[in-house]
Amino acid sequence: MALDAETRDQLVDTVRRFVSERLRPLEASVAEANEVPAGIIGEMRDLGLFGLSIPEEYGGLDLSMEDECLVIFEMGRTSPAFRSEFGTNVGIGSQGLVMFGNDDQKARWLPGIAAGTTVTSFALTEPEAGSDSAAVQTRAILDGDAYVLNGSKRYITNAAKAGLFTVMARSNPDVKGGGGVSAFLVPSDLPGISVGPPEKKMGQHGAQIHDITFDNVRVPVQNRLGEEGEGFKVAMQVLDKGRLHIGALCVGVAERLLADCVAYAGERKQFGQALSNFQLIQAMIADSKTECMAARALVLESARKRDSGANIVLEAAAAKYYASEMVGRVADRAVQIFGGAGYVADYGIERLYRDVRIFRIYEGTSQVQQLVIARETMKRGG
Ligand code: COS
């Protein structure tokens, strides 16, 4: 649902102030501790950030995709680890339930998800099924009133905090590919579930990813999301929305980096004048600005198209592809403009440079996005 312009502007403004006053001062310490403080997560709950995309009847803000992107542009102006705390509840962890859940499933889980008291994770990726997500091997075999899950999932964001997983598993071993896969709502406290230690990562310290193992986990039949065999399509449609959200996040981080570059180039003097006077520095700033504007426009246009109910498979892939590649270039130029200061930890530029690298990989690599864009373009005839 679209908010009226005034309420929307107030929300965006509140998030902007929260980011600059509460989150930015904590960036270095959160990366160092590899953890977002509980008090900050509480403030995020109070602001309603966990429920941005959850329908109002379940306690969420029910934002349109366009409004969600406007909020996420602001969240991008700080370490992406902060957004990760509520990102799964807004995006891939909850949207299968929002789009395909029945009334009972929604009533049971969405209020906690909107409030942030239940954290969700999206469990698709496996050791042998990354980009080839239709190849999932985790089994879900029907046995009386329950499916019995066996297998493992890899690099699952927020798995250790989650109360609920959306799990894609093969319910029909005779059907290879996506058609044999179903989606399940799996409470994390069911017997037989174990979550591994957090992975040591290149960046986004403070955000955690883990493996999950399912050992004869009995998931009640009523926890199946959608019909048998629909799980791959559930996952793809969840990812379509997720990719717009990640595109918006990339724009936010890029705009933050650009603002840092402009401030630094204005202060730093070499050859007797500010860096900003040098045309080779200006060229880098011009390129980053133009690319930020292009990505912002692409993300918003794609979001509006989703809000209109249109098919956005191509648009979501293009927005995520362009914005994630773009923020990589902007981060690289930022290191260059800061010079030695961009390479040492004190200025935070090298941290963001590492943080943005995953954007070209998770929720579909750039190469997967290229495949999707090419297929859809050919399907649409241009
Ligand atoms: N919305 C609805 N349906 C979709 C869809 C979408 N976005 N994408 C695919 N489908 C459907 C197709 O229409 C097809 O249906 P039919 O069998 O009825 O024709 C079915 O799903 C299989 O689609 P497709 O043939 O495109 O599947 P592929 O195995 O070729 O895989 C890619 C396609 C590679 C695009 C997909 O596996 C993918 O997105 N991989 C990356 C996964 C990812 O992002 N992982 C990150 C994990 S979360 S951090």
Coordinates of all heavy atoms in Angstrom, one line a residue, residues 65 68 83 87 90-92 95 99 235-249 306 312 316 320 362-363:
M65 N 6.4 -1.2 -2.9 CA 7.8 -1.5 -3.2 C 8.6 -0.2 -3.4 O 9.7 0.0 -3.0 CB 7.9 -2.3 -4.5 CG 9.3 -2.9 -4.7 SD 9.7 -4.2 -3.5 CE 11.3 -3.8 -3.1
E68 N 9.3 1.2 0.0 CA 10.3 0.3 0.7 C 11.7 0.7 0.1 O 12.7 0.9 0.9 CB 10.0 -1.1 0.4 CG 11.0 -2.1 1.1 CD 10.7 -3.5 0.8 OE1 9.5 -3.9 0.8 OE2 11.7 -4.3 0.6
R83 N 21.2 -3.2 8.2 CA 20.0 -3.6 7.5 C 19.8 -5.1 7.5 O 18.7 -5.5 7.5 CB 20.2 -3.1 6.0 CG 18.9 -3.2 5.2 CD 19.1 -4.0 3.9 NE 19.9 -5.2 4.0 CZ 19.6 -6.4 3.6 NH1 18.4 -6.6 3.1 NH2 20.4 -7.4 3.6
G87 N 16.6 -7.2 7.4 CA 16.4 -7.4 6.0 C 15.7 -8.7 5.6 O 14.9 -8.8 4.7
V90 N 12.0 -8.3 6.2 CA 11.3 -7.5 5.2 C 11.3 -8.2 3.8 O 10.4 -8.0 3.0 CB 12.1 -6.1 5.1 CG1 11.6 -5.3 3.9 CG2 11.9 -5.3 6.4
G91 N 12.4 -8.9 3.5 CA 12.6 -9.5 2.2 C 12.4 -11.0 2.2 O 11.3 -11.5 2.4
I92 N 13.5 -11.7 1.9 CA 13.4 -13.1 1.5 C 12.9 -14.0 2.6 O 12.4 -15.1 2.3 CB 14.7 -13.6 0.9 CG1 15.9 -13.4 1.9 CG2 15.0 -12.9 -0.4 CD1 17.3 -13.9 1.3
Q95 N 8.7 -13.1 2.6 CA 7.8 -12.8 1.5 C 7.2 -14.0 0.9 O 6.1 -13.9 0.2 CB 8.5 -12.0 0.4 CG 8.8 -10.5 0.9 CD 7.6 -9.8 1.3 OE1 6.7 -9.6 0.5 NE2 7.5 -9.4 2.6
M99 N 3.3 -13.8 0.2 CA 2.7 -14.0 -1.1 C 1.9 -15.3 -1.3 O 1.0 -15.4 -2.0 CB 3.8 -14.0 -2.2 CG 4.4 -12.6 -2.4 SD 5.5 -12.5 -3.8 CE 7.1 -12.7 -3.1
A235 N 10.3 -19.5 -4.5 CA 11.7 -19.0 -4.2 C 12.0 -17.9 -5.3 O 12.5 -16.8 -4.9 CB 12.7 -20.1 -4.3
M236 N 11.7 -18.1 -6.5 CA 12.0 -17.2 -7.6 C 11.2 -15.9 -7.4 O 11.8 -14.8 -7.6 CB 11.7 -17.8 -9.0 CG 12.7 -18.9 -9.4 SD 14.4 -18.3 -9.5 CE 15.1 -19.3 -8.1
Q237 N 10.0 -16.0 -7.0 CA 9.2 -14.8 -6.9 C 9.6 -14.0 -5.6 O 9.6 -12.7 -5.6 CB 7.7 -15.1 -6.9 CG 7.2 -15.5 -8.3 CD 5.7 -15.7 -8.4 OE1 4.9 -15.0 -7.8 NE2 5.4 -16.7 -9.1
V238 N 10.0 -14.7 -4.6 CA 10.6 -14.0 -3.4 C 11.8 -13.3 -3.8 O 12.1 -12.1 -3.5 CB 10.9 -15.1 -2.3 CG1 11.7 -14.5 -1.2 CG2 9.6 -15.6 -1.7
L239 N 12.7 -14.0 -4.7 CA 13.9 -13.3 -5.1 C 13.7 -12.1 -6.0 O 14.5 -11.2 -6.0 CB 14.8 -14.4 -5.7 CG 15.5 -15.3 -4.7 CD1 16.2 -16.5 -5.4 CD2 16.6 -14.6 -3.9
D240 N 12.6 -12.2 -6.8 CA 12.3 -11.0 -7.6 C 12.2 -9.8 -6.8 O 12.7 -8.7 -7.1 CB 11.1 -11.2 -8.5 CG 11.2 -12.2 -9.6 OD1 12.4 -12.4 -10.0 OD2 10.2 -12.8 -10.0
K241 N 11.5 -9.9 -5.7 CA 11.3 -8.8 -4.8 C 12.6 -8.4 -4.1 O 13.0 -7.3 -4.0 CB 10.2 -9.0 -3.8 CG 10.0 -7.9 -2.8 CD 8.8 -8.1 -1.9 CE 8.5 -6.8 -1.1 NZ 9.6 -6.5 -0.2
G242 N 13.3 -9.5 -3.6 CA 14.5 -9.3 -2.9 C 15.5 -8.6 -3.7 O 16.3 -7.8 -3.2
R243 N 15.5 -8.8 -5.0 CA 16.5 -8.2 -5.9 C 16.3 -6.7 -6.0 O 17.3 -5.9 -6.1 CB 16.6 -8.9 -7.2 CG 17.2 -10.3 -7.1 CD 17.0 -11.2 -8.3 NE 17.6 -12.5 -8.1 CZ 17.4 -13.6 -8.8 NH1 16.7 -13.5 -9.9 NH2 18.0 -14.7 -8.5
L244 N 15.1 -6.3 -6.0 CA 14.8 -4.8 -6.0 C 15.3 -4.2 -4.7 O 15.9 -3.1 -4.7 CB 13.3 -4.6 -6.2 CG 12.7 -4.9 -7.5 CD1 11.2 -4.7 -7.5 CD2 13.3 -4.0 -8.6
H245 N 15.0 -4.9 -3.6 CA 15.4 -4.4 -2.3 C 17.0 -4.3 -2.2 O 17.5 -3.3 -1.8 CB 14.9 -5.4 -1.2 CG 15.3 -5.1 0.2 ND1 14.4 -4.6 1.1 CD2 16.4 -5.2 0.9 CE1 14.9 -4.4 2.3 NE2 16.2 -4.8 2.2
I246 N 17.7 -5.3 -2.7 CA 19.2 -5.2 -2.7 C 19.6 -4.1 -3.7 O 20.6 -3.4 -3.4 CB 19.8 -6.6 -3.1 CG1 19.4 -7.7 -2.1 CG2 21.3 -6.5 -3.3 CD1 19.9 -7.4 -0.7
G247 N 19.0 -3.9 -4.8 CA 19.3 -2.8 -5.7 C 19.2 -1.5 -5.0 O 20.1 -0.6 -5.1
A248 N 18.2 -1.3 -4.2 CA 18.0 -0.1 -3.5 C 19.1 0.1 -2.4 O 19.6 1.2 -2.2 CB 16.6 -0.1 -2.8
L249 N 19.5 -1.0 -1.8 CA 20.5 -0.9 -0.8 C 21.9 -0.5 -1.4 O 22.6 0.3 -0.9 CB 20.7 -2.3 -0.1 CG 21.7 -2.5 0.9 CD1 21.4 -1.6 2.1 CD2 21.8 -4.0 1.4
R306 N 6.5 -3.0 -10.3 CA 6.0 -4.1 -9.4 C 4.7 -3.7 -8.7 O 3.8 -4.4 -8.6 CB 7.1 -4.5 -8.4 CG 6.7 -5.7 -7.6 CD 7.7 -6.1 -6.6 NE 7.4 -7.4 -6.0 CZ 6.6 -7.7 -5.0 NH1 6.0 -6.6 -4.4 NH2 6.4 -8.9 -4.5
I312 N 7.9 -8.3 -13.3 CA 9.2 -7.6 -13.1 C 10.4 -8.5 -13.1 O 11.4 -8.1 -12.5 CB 9.1 -6.6 -11.9 CG1 8.6 -7.3 -10.7 CG2 8.3 -5.4 -12.2 CD1 9.7 -7.8 -9.7
A316 N 13.7 -6.6 -12.1 CA 14.4 -6.9 -10.8 C 15.8 -7.3 -11.0 O 16.7 -6.9 -10.3 CB 13.6 -7.9 -10.0
K320 N 19.1 -5.1 -9.9 CA 20.1 -5.7 -9.0 C 21.5 -5.8 -9.7 O 22.5 -5.5 -9.1 CB 19.6 -7.1 -8.5 CG 20.2 -7.6 -7.3 CD 21.4 -8.5 -7.5 CE 22.0 -9.1 -6.2 NZ 23.2 -9.9 -6.5
Y362 N 25.2 -12.4 -3.7 CA 24.0 -13.0 -3.0 C 22.7 -12.5 -3.7 O 22.7 -11.6 -4.5 CB 24.0 -12.8 -1.5 CG 23.8 -11.5 -0.9 CD1 23.4 -10.3 -1.5 CD2 24.0 -11.4 0.5 CE1 23.2 -9.1 -0.8 CE2 23.9 -10.2 1.2 CZ 23.5 -9.1 0.5 OH 23.3 -7.9 1.2
E363 N 21.6 -13.3 -3.5 CA 20.3 -13.1 -4.1 C 20.5 -13.2 -5.7 O 19.8 -12.5 -6.4 CB 19.6 -11.9 -3.6 CG 19.3 -12.0 -2.1 CD 18.2 -11.1 -1.6 OE1 17.3 -10.7 -2.4 OE2 18.2 -10.9 -0.4

